[in-house]
Amino acid sequence: MDLRFYCEENISQEKLKEIEAEIKIYTGERLGFIHYKEMTPEKRERLEDLFGKRCWILNQLFDFKPENIQKIKKIDDRLRSMTLKLHERVKDLEKKATLIMDDPDFDDDYVIEGSIAFCWNDEESVLKLEDDEYYCSDFNLMINAIHDFYYEKGKYYTYILEITPNSDNMDDELDDWSEGAIRSAGLKICYATHCICCHQLYSIPDLLRLNDFWTEIKFVEQSITDAEGNRFKEKD
């Protein structure tokens, strides 16, 4: 990491356009799936560095004026609600596990996993907002590129969060996941919002434009045997 980059003189729309122009050299300028696996590890590492620098500039340019704070609160409320519902549904499904596991000749064990992810599907996956021109970012292409960067790293990288029936609720009344500028602005955010802005390469302005979220619960039945056909439960 070049720490010399992170200084006040690089907080500008012109520097942002310069960063995004270099990103487009690697990703191209057309919306659609980007095949990162065809790139060398060195190119992928360079892209990740560029995405991080873009994120930092946008966060520095972001104005925590009242209307923007309300937008953060709105998406945070939505993500908090999605997370709460996901916890409820995962626990409800666990209660029904004995009804689903109804074939003693097959069913040995099960796994329940719930997840929330942002999905870039098309141009409508990214909202157009009134201050788009202020940032001078190609939001749709950049968010498309960041999404696909995580997608090609593997499904677990695309998740905002994932839970099981034993997962703790990270959003009880005592939890506050705000950091940095968001904390300085006096905002309290949920764990999902924290994951987007702190664990992934999306900036705060990106967060306000994310429009397609995929919530999923998987119930996987497992039949486990060895080469002799001995069942998993017979070994216990």
Side-chain angles (χ1 to χ4, degrees), residues 36-231:
Y36 287 101
K37 289 182 180 178
E38 297 177 0
M39 298 181 187
T40 64
E42 291 76 18
K43 287 182 178 180
R44 291 197 298 270
E45 183 177 347
R46 175 58 180 164
L47 262 173
E48 188 166 12
D49 179 61
L50 291 169
F51 287 142
K53 289 175 177 176
R54 172 188 175 272
C55 178
W56 179 79
I57 293 174
L58 282 169
N59 285 344
Q60 302 308 307
L61 291 173
F62 186 75
D63 184 357
F64 284 90
K65 54 188 179 182
E67 52 264 46
N68 282 342
I69 289 177
Q70 287 306 310
K71 289 175 183 175
I72 293 175
K73 288 181 177 179
K74 182 178 180 180
I75 184 63
D76 183 71
D77 286 345
R78 178 63 186 139
L79 288 165
R80 190 185 301 270
S81 175
M82 290 166 61
T83 302
L84 178 61
K85 189 62 178 178
L86 185 62
H87 275 282
E88 291 176 354
R89 292 296 295 145
V90 165
K91 291 186 182 300
D92 286 345
L93 192 55
E94 185 184 34
K95 293 176 183 177
K96 299 172 183 176
T98 54
L99 299 176
I100 300 171
M101 302 284 287
D102 59 357
D103 186 348
D105 294 329
F106 180 89
D107 301 331
D108 287 326
D109 203 0
Y110 65 87
V111 174
I112 302 175
E113 294 178 331
S115 62
I116 299 175
F118 165 72
C119 295
W120 191 94
N121 297 305
D122 54 34
E123 291 190 41
E124 294 184 359
S125 299
V126 178
L127 296 171
K128 297 183 185 300
L129 300 182
E130 63 279 0
D131 58 354
D132 281 358
E133 292 186 5
Y134 161 71
Y135 293 105
C136 299
S137 173
D138 190 341
F139 281 109
N140 218 315
L141 183 60
M142 292 297 112
I143 292 173
N144 173 190
I146 294 169
H147 170 269
D148 288 357
F149 184 78
Y150 285 122
Y151 184 85
E152 289 234 336
K153 288 182 76 172
K155 65 177 183 177
Y156 293 107
Y157 289 94
T158 66
Y159 294 159
I160 296 170
L161 58 82
E162 55 183 319
I163 67 170
T164 70
N166 296 322
S167 295
D168 293 330
N169 183 357
M170 308 293 278
D171 292 317
D172 65 29
E173 293 182 359
L174 298 178
D175 289 326
D176 178 8
W177 294 97
S178 60
E179 291 185 9
I182 292 179
R183 180 181 289 275
S184 298
L187 286 168
K188 182 178 180 179
I189 60 173
C190 70
Y191 185 65
T193 303
H194 165 83
C195 289
I196 292 172
C197 294
C198 299
H199 295 178
Q200 298 185 328
L201 291 164
Y202 299 109
S203 67
I204 300 171
D206 292 332
L207 167 72
L208 303 186
R209 290 160 172 80
L210 303 184
N211 194 39
D212 281 350
F213 293 98
W214 183 280
T215 307
E216 181 175 87
I217 300 173
K218 293 181 180 179
F219 188 103
V220 180
E221 295 185 52
Q222 299 173 329
S223 181
I224 310 166
T225 60
D226 62 19
E228 298 296 327
N230 297 309
R231 299 282 296 280

Side-chain angles (χ1 to χ4, degrees), residues 12-29:
S12 70
Q13 288 86 346
E14 288 304 312
K15 192 64 179 179
L16 180 71
K17 288 191 286 187
E18 179 184 320
I19 294 293
E20 292 195 0
E22 186 174 352
I23 290 173
K24 291 176 182 179
I25 293 173
Y26 298 99
T27 65
E29 299 191 34

